[in-house]
């Protein structure tokens, strides 16, 4: 078990490296990875089940104790990222499938890798975890609705079908994880440190499958998609920070909201794009999976060298807020 724990920590620490490596391999040799495409939904369900295993009631305590920063952050998440994606898709004149895929990336909830980034950046970790959890639970309603409003002009959107997909791939696995945690707490406590390794492997398989399916498209559309994802992520980080500042929140909260808004659940974007649109529409989320895990650590490293507010703003002890799931990328 200690070996698996060490391997899990190593896998999480260099996650961005593994994502880039598997994407390059799948691009150069796509054939071995094509068969994984039919398992994307199951794999993402496994990742979300891991999230359920590590969620605690304390993760939602801040919503009741300090609701204003959470409401501001989640509102920014579901306003800034979809609208920025829509604007970028128009300005870059992306083809319909790529435009819809970029908007989809903007409409999914935040990814939990942001929790680790906020911790490293010395931001408000309790706020970060609360935002991730709340935006994830709101996703079945918010993601289909926003996508229908903003992407329906490019591709047909079936909000009911997408709602059911998100419930199937997110809500049910999380609920099962919570149930298992309740029924078998000692077993979960002993095995939870291995959850990041399983989730990292699942995400790597998802990235390899979509990259392989888009091997030809990466050549023709790779740069423009990367540019779109780069701009989308950059504006998300910047506008998230400025929104928190404009609302009078302190530096700890600004850092948390910036990283939460800028880093998306790319795995969900891949699954929904593949199931409801096309493999090409999943390409922005694949680039998101790669770039978010590069830009996030860069910004966190810069902030880690600059003291935040002296006053501790976490409603909960920071030591309680570095669960194993914080080392997973739920995209």
């Amino acid at each position: 078990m200690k070996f698996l724990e060490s391997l899990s920590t190593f896998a999480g620490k260099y996650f961005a490296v593994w994502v880039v490596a598997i994407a390059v391999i799948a691009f150069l040799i796509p054939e071995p990875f094509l068969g994984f495409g039919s398992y994307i939904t199951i794999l993402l369900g496994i990742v979300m089940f891991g999230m359920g295993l590590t969620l605690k009631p304390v993760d939602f305590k801040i919503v009741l104790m300090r609701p204003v920063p959470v409401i501001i952050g989640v509102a920014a998440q579901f306003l800034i990222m979809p609208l920025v994606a829509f604007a970028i898709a128009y300005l870059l004149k992306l083809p319909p499938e790529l435009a819809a895929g970029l908007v989809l990336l903007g409409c999914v909830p935040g990814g939990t890798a942001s929790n680790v980034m906020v911790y490293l950046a010395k931001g408000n970790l309790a706020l970060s975890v609360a935002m991730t959890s709340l935006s994830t639970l709101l996703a079945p309603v918010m993601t289909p609705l926003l996508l229908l409003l903003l992407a329906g002009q490019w591709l047909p959107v079936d909000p009911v079908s997408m709602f059911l997909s998100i419930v199937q791939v997110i809500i049910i696995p999380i609920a099962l994880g919570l149930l298992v945690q309740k029924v078998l707490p000692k077993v979960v406590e002993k095995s939870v440190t291995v959850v990041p390794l399983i989730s990292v492997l699942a995400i790597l398989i998802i990235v390899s499958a979509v990259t392989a399916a888009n091997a030809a498209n990466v050549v023709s559309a790779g740069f423009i998609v990367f540019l779109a994802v780069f701009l989308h992520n950059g504006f998300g980080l910047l506008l998230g920070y400025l929104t928190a500042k404009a609302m009078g929140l302190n530096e700890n909260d600004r850092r948390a909201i910036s990283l939460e808004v800028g880093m998306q659940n790319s795995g969900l974007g891949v699954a929904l794009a593949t199931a409801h649109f096309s493999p090409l529409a999943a390409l922005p989320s694949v680039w998101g999976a790669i770039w978010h895990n590069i830009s996030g650590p860069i910004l966190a490293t810069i902030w880690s060298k600059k003291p935040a507010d002296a006053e501790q703003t976490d409603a909960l002890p920071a030591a309680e807020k570095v669960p194993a799931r914080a080392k997973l990328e739920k995209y």
Side-chain angles (χ1 to χ4, degrees), residues 172-193:
I172 292 177
I174 289 178
L176 289 174
L178 289 169
L179 179 63
V180 171
Q181 182 187 161
K182 183 76 172 178
V183 176
L184 302 169
K186 292 185 178 179
V187 174
V188 171
E189 185 178 352
K190 290 180 180 179
S191 60
V192 74
T193 51

Side-chain angles (χ1 to χ4, degrees), residues 131-297:
M131 280 184 60
T132 299
S133 303
L134 186 58
S135 66
T136 298
L137 294 179
L138 290 174
V141 174
M142 295 303 298
T143 298
L145 177 61
L146 290 168
L147 202 58
L148 178 64
L149 293 173
L150 298 176
Q153 61 183 300
W154 288 302
L155 291 177
V157 177
D158 184 344
V160 175
S161 177
M162 191 165 289
F163 169 84
L164 294 175
S165 292
I166 298 174
V167 170
Q168 178 186 4
V169 82
I170 286 188
I171 304 302
I172 292 177
I174 289 178
L176 289 174
L178 289 169
L179 179 63
V180 171
Q181 182 187 161
K182 183 76 172 178
V183 176
L184 302 169
K186 292 185 178 179
V187 174
V188 171
E189 185 178 352
K190 290 180 180 179
S191 60
V192 74
T193 51
V194 184
V195 171
L197 177 61
I198 297 172
S199 295
V200 166
L201 290 174
I203 292 298
L204 290 179
I205 294 173
I206 291 173
V207 169
S208 69
V210 179
T211 303
N214 281 293
N217 296 322
V218 169
V219 176
S220 58
F223 175 75
I224 191 67
V225 175
F226 173 76
L227 176 62
V229 170
F230 173 84
L231 292 173
H232 185 238
N233 174 242
F235 277 113
L237 294 170
L238 176 63
L239 294 177
Y241 184 91
L242 293 178
T243 299
K245 184 176 181 179
M247 297 302 293
L249 301 182
N250 57 50
E251 180 65 18
N252 301 78
D253 293 347
R254 294 174 201 167
R255 294 181 182 187
I257 291 176
S258 171
L259 288 163
E260 277 295 321
V261 170
M263 299 181 70
Q264 304 294 93
N265 189 331
S266 304
L268 178 60
V270 169
L272 293 177
T274 303
H276 296 275
F277 295 148
S278 69
L280 181 58
L283 195 55
S285 291
V286 172
W287 276 117
I290 297 171
W291 178 246
H292 292 180
N293 285 282
I294 296 174
S295 64

Side-chain angles (χ1 to χ4, degrees), residues 5-121:
E5 288 179 15
S6 300
L7 187 60
S8 183
T9 301
F10 180 76
K13 185 177 181 180
Y14 297 101
F15 182 76
V17 176
W18 309 135
V19 171
V20 173
I22 197 67
V24 171
I25 293 171
F27 170 70
L28 296 174
I29 315 172
E31 289 78 13
F33 302 98
L34 292 174
F36 292 132
S38 57
Y39 299 102
I40 289 176
T41 300
I42 296 174
L43 290 167
L44 186 59
I46 292 172
V47 174
M48 302 314 295
F49 175 74
M51 180 179 179
L53 288 177
T54 57
L55 269 176
K56 308 284 185 186
V58 74
D59 292 337
F60 297 96
K61 188 176 180 181
I62 188 178
V63 179
L64 299 175
M65 295 182 67
R66 295 185 66 235
V68 173
V70 180
I71 293 171
I72 291 173
V74 173
Q77 171 80 50
F78 284 121
L79 284 173
I80 291 173
M81 297 308 276
L83 292 176
V84 168
F86 180 82
I88 290 172
Y90 251 108
L91 291 174
L92 295 183
K93 298 180 180 179
L94 295 180
E97 288 175 294
L98 293 178
L102 183 66
V103 172
L104 173 57
L105 177 61
C107 294
V108 296
T112 57
S114 57
N115 301 155
V116 178
M117 298 305 109
V118 171
Y119 173 72
L120 295 175

